[in-house]
């Protein structure tokens, strides 16, 4: 979690400073040869971006499913 009050500024500023492409709010990421496909939710549905590497990506909460600790692992 970023220190920018969840305003999604850190990833965008870093991409601008490095002059790298950016994919924000990624809900799915797929690597290709020299590129990355980033799927993200927008108001009208889903948007897929194809970015050259290196790139800066920021994650949406749907990127991974959380794992919950089982009782034996807690003990």
């Amino acid at each position: 979690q970023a220190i920018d009050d969840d305003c999604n500024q850190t990833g965008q500023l870093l991409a601008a400073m490095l002059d790298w492409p950016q994919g924000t709010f990624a809900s799915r990421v797929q690597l290709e040869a020299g590129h990355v496909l980033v799927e993200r939710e927008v108001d009208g549905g889903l948007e897929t971006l194809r970015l050259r590497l290196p790139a800066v990506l920021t994650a949406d909460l749907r990127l991974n499913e959380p794992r919950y600790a089982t009782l034996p692992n807690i003990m």
Side-chain angles (χ1 to χ4, degrees):
Q1 187 166 6
I3 59 169
D4 62 1
D5 295 323
D6 288 335
C7 294
N8 196 33
Q9 297 170 357
T10 305
Q12 294 180 27
L13 287 170
L14 179 63
M17 285 187 229
L18 295 172
D19 196 27
W20 287 1
Q22 62 178 319
T24 56
F25 300 110
S27 60
R28 194 173 131 235
V29 176
Q30 181 179 349
L31 288 174
E32 292 183 342
H35 293 88
V36 63
L37 289 176
V38 177
E39 189 173 277
R40 51 180 269 169
E41 286 188 29
V42 294
D43 290 336
L46 295 175
E47 176 182 49
T48 302
L49 304 171
R50 185 172 188 252
L51 307 171
R52 64 176 166 76
L53 292 175
V56 175
L57 303 179
T58 63
D60 185 51
L61 62 102
R62 285 169 280 292
L63 183 60
N64 291 312
E65 285 190 34
R67 295 183 301 176
Y68 297 101
T70 60
L71 185 59
N73 288 340
I74 293 172
M75 298 174 126

